[in-house]
C-alpha cells in the first residue's frame, strides 16, 4: 500500500525529490526505488528527518518495531499518517508524545486512483493535520472523515470490500461458464458488468435498491435470481462477513 500511495503521489504531481521511502531489506529498498524513482533508505531516522508527513504502511504486527525505530526522531511539527488496519492512534501517541497522528483506511483501488479512504485524527491532530493527511490520501482517490471508533467497521466495509466484489466476480464467472459461455466471454461480461454497475452506482443519486428495481421486472429473470439469493440468506451472509472482519480488526488493534 505504501508503494501504491507513492505511485499515486507521483501521478498527482508530487516530485520524487520531495519524497523518501523506507524499507527494511536491501532487496526491497532497491526494488521500490527502481519501481518508483523515489530515493529509498534502510535508515528509519534518515527517512523521518525533515518530512512533513510520515506515512506508516507496514503490517499491523510490524508497527511496534517501526515505532521503536523512529520514536526518538519524530518531532511534534510532523504528522504520522498510519494506514495500519486496527492500530489505534493512541498506540502511536503512547510513544510519540505530542505528535499529531492521523489513522486512515484506504483500499486497493488506490492502484488506479479510485480508492475511498476513511480517516480520523488522534488527540493532537488538528484541522491542519487532517487537511495535510487528506492532501496525501486524495492522490489515490476520495476521502471521508469519521470518528475513530468507526474505523474497524470501515476496515470491514471498504478496506476489505474489494475482496467481496472480487469473490462475487469469481463466482459469477464460474456460473457463466457452467451456463455454457466460453471463459473469455464470461470474464469480459463479468468485469464489465461490475465496472458498469459500480460506475452507475456512483454516478446517480438513487441508492442501490432503486437501481436494482430498475432491472427487476415482476416475474422476470432478475426477480428469479434475486429470490434465490434472498432465500439462501445473501444479506445475512454479507452481514456475518462484515462482522467477522470488524471483529478481526478490533482484535489486531489489541495486538
Ligand atoms: N492491502 C490493503 O488493501 C490495505 C488497505 C488498507 C490498509 N492497508 C494497510 O497497509 C499496511 C501495509 O499493507 P500491505 O498489504 O501493503 O503490506 P506489505 O505488502 O507487507 O507491505 C509492507 C511493507 O513494509 C515493510 N516493513 C515492515 N516493517 C518495516 C520496518 N520496520 N521498516 C521498513 N519497512 C518495513 C515490509 O518489508 P518486507 O518486504 O521486508 O516484508 C513490506 O515491504 C497494513 O498495515 C495494512 O493494514 C492495506
Amino acid at each position: 500500500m505504501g508503494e501504491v500511495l507513492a505511485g499515486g503521489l507521483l501521478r498527482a504531481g508530487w516530485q520524487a525529490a520531495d519524497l523518501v521511502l523506507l524499507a527494511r531489506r536491501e532487496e526491497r529498498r532497491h526494488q521500490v526505488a527502481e519501481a518508483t524513482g523515489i530515493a529509498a533508505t534502510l535508515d528509519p531516522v534518515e527517512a523521518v528527518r525533515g518530512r512533513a508527513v510520515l506515512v506508516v504502511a507496514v503490517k499491523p504486527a510490524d508497527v511496534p518495531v517501526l515505532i521503536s525505530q523512529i520514536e526518538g526522531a519524530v518531532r511534534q511539527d510532523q504528522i504520522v499518517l498510519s494506514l495500519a488496519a486496527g492500530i489505534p492512534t493512541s498506540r502511536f501517541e503512547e510513544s510519540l508524545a505530542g505528535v499529531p497522528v492521523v489513522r486512515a483506511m484506504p483500499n486497493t483501488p488506490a492502484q488506479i486512483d479510485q480508492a475511498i479512504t476513511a480517516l480520523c485524527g488522534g488527540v493532537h491532530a488538528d484541522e491542519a493535520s487532517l487537511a495535510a493527511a487528506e492532501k496525501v490520501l486524495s492522490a489515490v482517490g476520495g476521502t471521508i472523515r469519521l470518528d475513530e471508533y468507526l474505523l474497524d467497521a470501515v476496515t470491514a466495509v471498504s478496506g476489505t470490500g474489494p475482496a467481496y466484489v472480487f469473490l462475487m466476480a469469481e463466482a459469477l464467472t464460474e456460473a457463466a461458464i457452467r451456463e455454457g459461455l466460453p471463459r473469455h466471454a464470461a470474464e469480459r461480461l463479468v468485469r464489465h458488468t461490475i465496472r458498469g454497475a459500480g460506475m452507475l452506482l456512483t454516478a446517480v443519486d438513487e441508492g442501490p435498491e432503486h437501481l436494482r428495481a430498475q432491472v427487476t421486472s415482476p416475474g422476470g429473470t432478475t426477480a428469479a435470481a434475486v429470490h434465490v439469493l434472498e432465500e439462501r440468506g445473501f444479506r445475512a451472509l454479507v452481514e456475518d462477513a462484515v462482522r467477522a472482519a470488524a471483529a478481526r480488526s478490533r482484535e489486531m488493534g489489541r495486538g
Side-chain angles (χ1 to χ4, degrees):
M1 188 50 80
E3 186 177 347
V4 166
L5 183 57
L9 289 169
L10 294 176
R11 286 191 295 279
W14 297 55
Q15 299 301 308
D18 294 331
L19 305 170
V20 66
L21 301 172
L22 173 67
R24 65 175 169 184
R25 293 178 293 118
E26 172 51 30
E27 188 191 352
R28 177 79 179 129
R29 189 204 66 74
H30 181 75
Q31 183 241 321
V32 81
E34 286 282 297
T36 61
I38 299 170
T41 175
L42 294 172
D43 180 352
V45 174
E46 186 191 330
V48 161
R49 197 180 298 127
R51 304 289 153 185
V53 179
L54 312 172
V55 177
V56 175
V58 303
K59 293 278 193 215
D62 291 326
V63 166
V65 170
L66 182 73
I67 291 177
S68 71
Q69 290 171 323
I70 63 170
E71 61 184 334
V74 183
R75 301 162 51 101
Q76 292 182 0
D77 60 355
Q78 296 179 303
I79 297 161
V80 169
L81 170 53
S82 168
L83 312 182
I87 307 292
T89 51
S90 58
R91 176 64 193 85
F92 290 88
E93 290 159 356
E94 281 162 16
S95 307
L96 309 173
V99 173
V101 180
V102 176
R103 175 179 164 193
M105 176 47 56
N107 60 8
T108 53
Q111 290 166 38
I112 52 163
D113 304 338
Q114 294 294 324
I116 179 71
T117 303
L119 71 153
C120 64
V123 289
H124 307 298
D126 58 9
E127 174 57 34
S129 320
L130 285 164
E134 273 167 346
K135 199 171 161 205
V136 170
L137 296 166
S138 62
V140 290
T143 59
I144 174 171
R145 289 187 194 182
L146 289 169
D147 290 337
E148 182 155 18
Y149 79 94
L150 293 170
L151 265 273
D152 294 306
V154 166
T155 302
V157 173
S158 55
T160 313
Y164 309 150
V165 177
F166 300 143
L167 185 62
M168 179 72 191
E170 286 176 56
L172 192 52
T173 305
E174 292 311 315
I177 292 166
R178 274 195 296 277
E179 280 301 308
L181 285 160
R183 176 167 288 277
H184 70 90
E187 285 174 355
R188 184 146 184 247
L189 289 168
V190 169
R191 278 168 200 245
H192 283 261
T193 299
I194 290 175
R195 181 171 92 153
M199 288 176 77
L200 185 58
L201 188 59
T202 47
V204 299
D205 290 333
E206 289 88 357
E209 324 73 34
H210 175 86
L211 297 172
R212 184 162 62 79
Q214 274 183 351
V215 279
T216 314
S217 24
T221 57
T222 311
V226 169
H227 177 71
V228 171
L229 289 171
E230 297 279 21
E231 202 180 49
R232 304 261 182 104
F234 181 72
R235 284 174 201 265
L237 204 57
V238 171
E239 201 178 312
D240 284 355
V242 168
R243 189 176 304 122
R248 181 69 191 120
S249 176
R250 281 188 281 272
E251 218 173 78
M252 283 158 70
R254 286 193 293 269

